[in-house]
Amino acid sequence: MMEKQDGGHNVKHGTAVTDSHGLTRRTVLMSLAAFGVAVAGGLAAAPGTAHGQALGQNESVEEALKRLFGGKTIKDGSAAIKLDVPLIAENGAVVPVSVTVDSPMTPASWVKHIYVVADKNRIPVVTRVTLAPEAGRAFMGANIRLGETGDLRAIVEQSDGTLLMVKREVKVTVGGCGG
């Protein structure tokens, strides 16, 4: 077995590596794992009761927009935003939606966020996509869930704080039967 001094660390070839305090890597990893289990089990939690925040649940679209944007004015974005969503969604559980924004994606001016908001959903803010100038193109696509027929909004937040919005009605049918 060979031992050498390496910058204040003892290294033994063929056995566990220890530092100058006699701790092995295995001991440190096992201690971290035990601490993780304790935290996950609530044993190392701070006293008091934890409460999850029901952010956005059962709020109106107006309340959601106020929470997200305060009192900022949202302008008509029909010249810059293309909201692609079917007019009739045969299955409300899987509705394809895409938003493309005609905007430069430069360090001086870019699309910062794209929000998709469903007016009739229990949680109206369906998604928020964060972009950076490096994205090169302001686009997002996803499958979303719509609870019932209603308006779907695409809201774009520019890097300078400007807010733009387009909205379309989507009819949700039951099993594709027009209900």
Side-chain angles (χ1 to χ4, degrees), residues 8-80:
H9 292 69
N10 292 323
V11 179
K12 292 184 179 180
H13 298 287
T15 62
V17 177
T18 61
D19 68 5
S20 58
H21 299 289
L23 291 174
T24 65
R25 180 174 180 240
R26 179 172 293 168
T27 303
V28 171
L29 290 175
M30 287 175 51
S31 298
L32 288 173
F35 180 71
V37 170
V39 169
L43 299 176
T49 305
H51 298 283
Q53 182 180 8
L55 190 61
Q57 286 192 345
N58 298 318
E59 68 181 346
S60 69
V61 173
E62 293 76 22
E63 292 169 334
L65 297 179
K66 185 175 182 181
R67 177 176 51 82
L68 291 171
F69 310 118
K72 285 184 171 180
T73 302
I74 301 176
K75 300 176 184 176
D76 176 27
S78 57

Side-chain angles (χ1 to χ4, degrees), residues 114-130:
I114 299 174
Y115 297 85
V116 175
V117 179
D119 286 17
K120 298 286 183 154
N121 278 14
R122 188 173 59 93
I123 302 172
V125 181
V126 178
T127 189
R128 178 184 92 166
V129 176
T130 301

Side-chain angles (χ1 to χ4, degrees), residues 85 95 107 110-111 120 128 151 173:
V85 64
V95 181
W110 75 93
V111 172
K120 298 286 183 154
R128 178 184 92 166
D151 286 335
T173 62

